[in-house]
Amino acid sequence: MSHSPQTIDQYLAALRDAFGTADRALQQDALSDAEEYLRGELALAPGQDEATVLARIVESYGAPEEVAAAYRQTEATVQRALEPRRAPSPTGDGAGSGEPRPAGGMFAVLKDPHAYGAVFYMLLSLVTGIFYFTWTITGATLSFGLLILIIGIPFLLLFLASVRVLALVEGRVVEGLLGVRMPRRPAYEPALPFVERIRAMLVDGRTWTAILYMLLLMPLGIVYSVVAVIGVFFPLALMLAPFAALFGDIFISEGVRVSFGPWYSSDGASADLLALVLMPVIGAALLVGFMHLARGIGRLHGALAKALLVRL
Amino acid sequence: MTDLDPISRKFQKELNAGTTALVLLALLARKGEALYGYEIAKQLAQVDPELALGKQGALYPVLRSLADDGLLESWVEPSVAGPPRRYYRITPAGRRALGDWAHLWRRTRRLVEDIVEEGTSEGRTP
């Protein structure tokens, strides 16, 4: 180590450097853990010089480099343990069941929990998107509208703080459903005087990118949910069409009848066999295709959420 | 304990890899209640003042991976002074795992003790 940190902020900066290009979310976890320990240790030694306390902390907690190494090692072990579950390898699949490899690779998406998570997320994002949008617009207009009165300032701060909490919640949802690693702890807040903390919140770019994300999620959520509903129900309708055809036309009243397609003649005599066979096949193919699309959208959206919600 | 050569330090690190998880699980099982990271580290420092388990910074990632495996439950609570704290509490699955791990540990300990005892006493006597 070149020089030992003299203050908590220096220690945390050194810890951040020690991670280098490692995952930002992992880095944020480590920083908030260290922050908790360092502040706890400092609180137990009132009146003592911060540099002296830090020298002791490096002895007990470990130097930034050691701590970063411990996190990287644990994360690597967990990643290895999760890998086979997360992405079943097409080679292992094909060899095991004797299936042709491309087909195994093609249908592997059906065994991927994150593909289903992504479909669910696409449906859910309509609800969360509308909620975030309403919350953000209401909070922003009320805060800025009231700014001419003195009560607008606490309102604005409360609103910004609430956006940061929502960002953390959204991060947990994204990690759970899309499998993109997000921070599990709130970003560390240095124990600064009240006014300084407010300033830090205002100059923190993540506060503003989180607001952007909250607003973006509504249009995205509408598109996602429409795509998801069509993507699930259109293939399902095709797959179930032959069963519907069994029932023939549904007679509602004189001159009004619901017909299940041109392959079934209205006099109930003959069905077009080719159409009856083809429809479920096309439906199944479309469904698998949609699962791939959903997984892709999930990955893209995870990257977007990470860029806008994770601060470092 | 502090000034080991690199090879022995590496050995110590490898030795600690699994035992830290076992010790943390046992500590949280004994307490029963939820503790936050710093409290856990301090509790451990009381019984392990020489840091035989390594630096305390290495405890946090182990806690996190135990929580990922469902052996601990964890949540964040704001604190009056300082940053929010992440609390950890053992789950029923954690208690079951602790039972299994304790059994494995005793078996390993007996074996290691027997062999190390023989090895070191033979080395001393000739």
Side-chain angles (χ1 to χ4, degrees):
Chain A
M1 197 168 55
S2 48
H3 61 96
S4 49
Q6 301 293 310
T7 65
I8 287 183
D9 289 333
Q10 280 178 18
Y11 184 97
L12 294 173
L15 181 57
R16 191 178 300 178
D17 288 345
F19 270 99
T21 54
D23 190 279
R24 290 161 82 195
L26 178 67
Q27 213 168 330
Q28 195 162 319
D29 283 356
L31 285 170
S32 59
D33 284 346
E35 174 91 1
E36 185 207 86
Y37 189 96
L38 268 53
R39 299 271 170 223
E41 199 77 334
L42 197 65
L44 282 190
Q48 274 196 46
D49 180 32
E50 196 169 336
T52 327
V53 179
L54 264 163
R56 209 171 58 223
I57 287 173
V58 172
E59 276 303 304
S60 64
Y61 191 74
E65 293 81 2
E66 291 175 273
V67 175
Y71 277 87
R72 272 201 299 264
Q73 200 176 357
T74 312
E75 183 77 357
T77 321
V78 173
Q79 280 297 330
R80 262 203 305 281
L82 286 178
E83 215 52 57
R85 231 189 318 156
R86 200 169 274 177
S89 80
T91 42
D93 258 22
S97 55
E99 264 180 290
R101 189 117 62 87
M106 200 64 187
F107 293 111
V109 71
L110 296 178
K111 283 194 276 178
D112 185 351
H114 289 136
Y116 295 95
V119 175
F120 186 70
Y121 183 84
M122 288 167 79
L123 294 171
L124 184 73
S125 61
L126 180 67
V127 181
T128 52
I130 289 173
F131 174 73
Y132 294 155
F133 189 87
T134 317
W135 186 269
T136 309
I137 291 295
T138 312
T141 47
L142 271 181
S143 316
F144 288 108
L146 289 174
L147 267 186
I148 40 166
L149 307 173
I150 195 76
I151 120 165
I153 294 166
F155 211 94
L156 173 69
L157 299 176
L158 217 64
F159 160 65
L160 291 180
S162 77
V163 167
R164 290 159 73 94
V165 173
L166 284 182
L168 195 73
V169 172
E170 173 69 10
R172 304 302 305 133
V173 173
V174 167
E175 177 166 342
L177 291 176
L178 305 180
V180 178
R181 185 83 165 64
M182 299 289 281
R184 287 149 209 231
R185 298 158 172 75
Y188 71 91
E189 307 287 346
L192 298 166
F194 192 61
V195 180
E196 282 295 303
R197 274 165 78 165
I198 290 172
R199 213 185 72 84
M201 187 165 78
L202 290 177
V203 298
D204 179 4
R206 200 192 59 151
T207 309
W208 308 103
T209 53
I211 289 180
L212 178 67
Y213 179 89
M214 301 284 147
L215 296 177
L216 260 182
L217 195 63
M218 186 165 88
L220 284 179
I222 291 173
V223 174
Y224 289 164
S225 57
V226 168
V227 170
V229 168
I230 295 173
V232 170
F233 287 103
F234 181 60
L236 275 185
L238 284 179
M239 288 163 80
L240 294 176
F243 298 101
L246 288 178
F247 300 102
D249 288 4
I250 294 177
F251 177 83
I252 293 178
S253 71
E254 194 57 51
V256 181
R257 39 171 66 198
V258 177
S259 165
F260 286 100
W263 66 91
Y264 197 93
S265 65
S266 55
D267 55 15
S270 66
D272 187 334
L273 269 177
L274 186 67
L276 281 186
V277 174
L278 267 182
M279 284 210 153
V281 173
I282 294 172
L286 281 177
L287 194 61
V288 172
F290 167 69
M291 292 301 279
H292 279 283
L293 179 71
R295 190 164 62 171
I297 288 178
R299 281 181 190 153
L300 277 179
H301 188 84
L304 176 77
K306 203 163 183 166
L308 294 181
L309 298 179
V310 179
R311 174 188 69 167
L312 267 185
Chain B
M1 215 58 209
T2 41
D3 289 321
L4 289 169
D5 60 86
I7 297 174
S8 301
R9 259 211 303 276
K10 179 164 171 275
F11 171 70
Q12 163 100 68
K13 198 177 271 177
E14 286 167 357
L15 198 59
N16 289 342
T19 46
T20 306
L22 174 59
V23 166
L24 288 174
L25 212 52
L27 184 83
L28 282 161
R30 204 179 60 186
K31 290 286 166 195
E33 63 200 61
L35 298 175
Y36 62 93
Y38 182 65
E39 276 181 317
I40 297 171
K42 287 290 115 178
Q43 298 266 358
L44 205 58
Q46 276 176 11
V47 289
D48 176 24
E50 291 196 326
L51 301 175
L53 279 178
K55 298 288 170 75
Q56 300 206 296
L59 299 176
Y60 285 85
V62 177
L63 284 170
R64 194 153 49 81
S65 86
L66 286 172
D68 281 346
D69 292 338
L71 305 182
L72 301 178
E73 54 178 333
S74 84
W75 63 93
V76 179
E77 272 180 30
S79 78
V80 187
R85 291 164 177 167
R86 176 157 287 267
Y87 281 83
Y88 293 94
R89 184 165 56 205
I90 191 163
T91 62
R95 289 192 186 275
R96 278 196 300 278
L98 178 60
D100 294 344
W101 293 9
H103 174 70
L104 291 171
W105 165 251
R106 286 189 201 102
R107 208 175 57 186
T108 310
R109 191 187 61 188
R110 272 199 301 276
L111 172 81
V112 172
E113 268 176 3
D114 289 352
I115 291 185
V116 170
E117 207 55 46
E118 278 172 32
T120 47
S121 61
E122 260 173 34
R124 264 202 304 270
T125 38

